[in-house]
Amino acid sequence: MCPQVSAITPSSHTTLIDTLDEEYGTKEFKLKAYESLGGAVRIPTVCYDDLGAPEEDPRWEVFDDFHTYIEQRFPKVHAILKRTKVATYAAVYHWQGTDTSLKPLLLAAHIDVVPALAATEANWINPPFSGYYDGEWIWGRGSCDDKPGVIGIMTAIEALLEQGFKPTRTVILAFGIDEERGGQTGAAAIGKYLVNTYGEDSISMIVDEGGGFSDLSGTVFATPAVAEKGYLDVRVDVLTPGGHSSRPPRHTGIGILASVVTELEANPHVPKLARDRTYYQGLQCRAKYDAGFPSEMRKLVSESQTSDEKLHELETKLDDFDPAYSASAGTTQAIDIIYGGLKINALPEAVYAITNHRIADHSSVSELQDRFASIVAPVAAKHNMSLNAFGKEIGLEASTTWGLVKVSDAFGSGLEPAPVTPTTGSGPYELLSGTILSTLKTNLRTDDFPEFSVVSPGLSLGRLAHHLNMRFPDTRHYWSLTRHIFRYGHRGTTDGYNGAHTINEAIRAEGFLEQIRFFTRLILNADETDLLD
């Protein structure tokens, strides 16, 4: 249950890693690294949802300032690595290895940040784009999400180059510019460029932002996300004849829409506990290594590995035991937007509601669409309404009905669950796990950091809870490059002052230093391993 690998430290680069760790521990290096991140934060590379094409919208121009900054800050990287601009401001770096038979390692991050609202600026301890280092924290928008990824990778490679390191395995860097709106400009173009340049299934493994680590009852749990839930926003439009409110029908369009919403709320998706899914694997890890895990639940998890009866019993208890269970193991629905009515004495002719879904890793967009239509169909029939669900006519003919219920993909946002990355027994997962454990074991932190660490598979679904992580990163555009995609940023839950996308975003400086150490060890381990193709 939850097998672990040993910590992996570069064996042929022992002197190099020791030298770098010694350098990383110096005050001079720390202050330079912290200022590298602070300077990056001071460049407000804000991603707006309504950004136009990079060559047309002047709001993109600040990204050019960012590129100028990192060129100056990391001169060796820009002298030795080949940089290719994609979609004007996104960037791909190629660090050629000496053995072209080895598949490259790809490290990804994104340059863009969400806006900092002017209305809340006074609530920041330090200004949102200050990049201020106060001796413990580096403050500002992007200090957690995701400029530590970009600057951490760059800092690690600059340090390796300064030591004269030349890779055996090629290393590729991919820096997106609009991850905060889905990567539709940056990562989408990067993905196409990488496929055209290197081919499908050409990358040994990809590591992007995502999961981190946390302390559970004295044990550090690192949770690289190996799966992503799918996504779909569904819009329900109810179209009915208008008229004066003095002569209303039995049910107005708003009333019919309310019936649809009520039916959806009465039929939530039922989570499914499956032994081959990420949530169950994470639960096994907690049962085995979390000292605070209740003994009776630990026994039940153990017995559920071979007993279907115990698996079902465990499933019935998880809703009460783990508040995140339903969101983790099943498809979620949240009716977030509703609109209808223009005037108090006019019958509404067009009303709508939009429901957000995060699709379970065992389901699909089409399965969700079919289920949604099956719930709405009886309501439409009851009110003598025709139904068009995702382009299909269902039930009553439009010519014989009073109105129309239309169900559609609200924003063209449908996304299938990501292919699940292989874990136990897989070379790339073992290499990543060993690197994580090595970095944690040899940390340079000055706080009271636990000695024992484990790695547990994580699931990306849009919230944070133990073995869950917060993001749908740019990797959705890189699926065809490799089966081995990991969303992991090596940041502890206590290394963020107040999280991302909110006021007082800040990263603990020592936590950022550990990210640099992680990227350094990952590059060196990947360079000499036989666990990768």
Side-chain angles (χ1 to χ4, degrees):
M1 190 161 69
C2 192
Q4 298 291 302
V5 302
S6 299
I8 299 176
T9 299
S11 57
S12 62
H13 300 298
T14 302
T15 301
L16 175 58
I17 199 67
D18 288 345
T19 298
L20 287 173
D21 265 351
E22 184 176 349
E23 180 184 351
Y24 291 169
T26 64
K27 181 178 180 181
E28 180 183 7
F29 180 89
K30 290 178 181 179
L31 291 178
K32 183 178 180 180
Y34 300 163
E35 175 52 26
S36 292
L37 178 56
V41 170
R42 285 191 283 275
I43 302 172
T45 49
V46 175
C47 173
Y48 300 97
D49 288 344
D50 63 345
L51 279 168
E55 63 274 12
E56 298 173 356
D57 193 328
R59 290 177 293 177
W60 286 104
E61 293 174 1
V62 68
F63 287 80
D64 206 28
D65 297 338
F66 187 88
H67 285 297
T68 299
Y69 172 75
I70 59 175
E71 288 169 13
Q72 297 170 348
R73 199 73 185 178
F74 306 105
K76 288 190 177 296
V77 169
H78 289 86
I80 295 175
L81 276 66
K82 176 186 176 183
R83 182 182 66 183
T84 301
K85 294 284 190 68
V86 182
T88 307
Y89 297 112
V92 175
Y93 290 79
H94 179 99
W95 192 8
Q96 182 61 48
T98 58
D99 188 343
T100 58
S101 70
L102 300 177
K103 289 184 177 181
L105 166 70
L106 174 60
L107 303 178
H110 66 91
I111 299 168
D112 58 300
V113 303
V114 298
L117 298 178
T120 63
E121 188 167 338
N123 297 327
W124 284 72
I125 295 173
N126 291 290
F129 292 102
S130 65
Y132 176 63
Y133 171 54
D134 66 3
E136 181 179 9
W137 302 93
I138 302 166
W139 295 86
R141 178 66 79 231
S143 59
C144 290
D145 183 15
D146 176 40
K147 288 182 176 176
V150 176
I151 302 302
I153 292 168
M154 286 291 200
T155 302
I157 294 178
E158 187 80 6
L160 286 166
L161 290 172
E162 287 176 349
Q163 295 294 325
F165 173 74
K166 297 179 180 179
T168 301
R169 182 185 301 276
T170 295
V171 178
I172 300 169
L173 314 180
F175 296 153
I177 52 175
D178 63 338
E179 188 271 352
E180 299 296 357
R181 65 171 185 173
Q184 64 195 55
T185 297
I190 290 173
K192 292 176 182 177
Y193 169 82
L194 292 173
V195 169
N196 290 337
T197 304
Y198 301 96
E200 295 187 353
D201 193 29
S202 59
I203 305 298
S204 61
M205 66 185 291
I206 297 174
V207 179
D208 193 8
E209 63 162 341
F213 56 85
S214 57
D215 180 352
L216 296 181
S217 307
T219 296
V220 176
F221 278 72
T223 53
V226 298
E228 286 181 46
K229 298 186 79 173
Y231 188 98
L232 183 66
D233 293 315
V234 177
R235 174 168 170 152
V236 180
D237 286 274
V238 176
L239 309 175
T240 54
H244 199 282
S245 296
S246 62
R247 298 183 63 186
R250 184 180 295 272
H251 298 286
T252 67
I254 291 176
I256 296 170
L257 181 61
S259 296
V260 171
V261 170
T262 298
E263 198 66 19
L264 289 170
E265 292 273 289
N267 290 276
H269 294 258
V270 178
K272 179 181 179 182
L273 188 63
R275 295 187 183 95
D276 62 344
R277 294 296 167 179
T278 307
Y279 177 84
Y280 184 78
Q281 295 171 355
L283 193 66
Q284 287 179 304
C285 291
R286 285 191 58 199
K288 184 171 183 177
Y289 294 109
D290 180 359
F293 204 83
S295 57
E296 65 276 11
M297 288 295 289
R298 180 179 290 111
K299 179 181 178 182
L300 189 55
V301 171
S302 179
E303 293 173 338
S304 71
Q305 296 179 96
T306 55
S307 169
D308 290 343
E309 180 183 352
K310 294 298 182 180
L311 183 69
H312 178 68
E313 182 181 348
L314 175 62
E315 193 173 43
T316 61
K317 293 185 176 182
L318 281 172
D319 261 330
D320 291 332
F321 173 73
D322 183 2
Y325 169 61
S326 291
S328 309
T331 297
T332 59
Q333 67 175 20
I335 301 164
D336 293 327
I337 297 175
I338 192 163
Y339 168 85
L342 293 174
K343 200 172 187 300
I344 193 60
N345 63 345
L347 296 175
E349 295 175 305
V351 300
Y352 67 84
I354 301 178
T355 304
N356 173 266
H357 299 87
R358 308 301 171 102
I359 305 171
D361 57 354
H362 55 74
S363 185
S364 65
V365 170
S366 62
E367 184 178 13
L368 170 60
Q369 290 176 334
D370 290 344
R371 183 182 186 276
F372 198 100
S374 71
I375 292 173
V376 175
V379 180
K382 176 183 177 181
H383 294 282
N384 192 30
M385 304 280 286
S386 57
L387 172 63
N388 182 297
F390 306 104
K392 297 179 182 178
E393 302 293 339
I394 299 174
L396 302 174
E397 293 185 10
S399 60
T400 65
T401 59
W402 181 62
L404 171 66
V405 177
K406 183 180 179 182
V407 179
S408 61
D409 182 338
F411 309 111
S413 60
L415 179 71
E416 297 290 350
V420 178
T421 298
T423 53
T424 303
S426 168
Y429 181 75
E430 291 185 356
L431 179 74
L432 180 69
S433 297
T435 302
I436 293 170
L437 294 173
S438 169
T439 309
L440 291 170
K441 183 179 180 180
T442 60
N443 72 85
L444 303 180
R445 307 178 76 105
T446 59
D447 55 4
D448 187 18
F449 196 76
E451 294 185 3
F452 186 64
S453 305
V454 297
V455 178
S456 170
L459 171 67
S460 177
L461 75 160
R463 63 170 292 174
L464 180 66
H466 300 313
H467 56 284
L468 315 178
N469 80 69
M470 299 177 67
R471 307 211 49 85
F472 289 128
D474 281 342
T475 49
R476 67 175 72 185
H477 300 288
Y478 308 154
W479 289 353
S480 65
L481 292 167
T482 180
R483 296 172 61 215
H484 307 286
I485 299 178
F486 303 98
R487 302 103 181 145
Y488 183 77
H490 200 73
R491 186 174 72 245
T493 54
T494 60
D495 287 334
Y497 184 87
N498 195 33
H501 295 204
T502 186
I503 63 169
N504 292 323
E505 181 179 349
I507 189 171
R508 193 184 302 274
E510 284 193 343
F512 173 55
L513 184 69
E514 291 303 313
Q515 290 181 282
I516 297 170
R517 296 184 63 249
F518 166 73
F519 289 125
T520 304
R521 287 173 177 261
L522 180 60
I523 291 169
L524 292 177
N525 279 338
D527 199 64
E528 64 179 44
T529 188
D530 58 3
L531 293 171
L532 301 180
D533 292 337

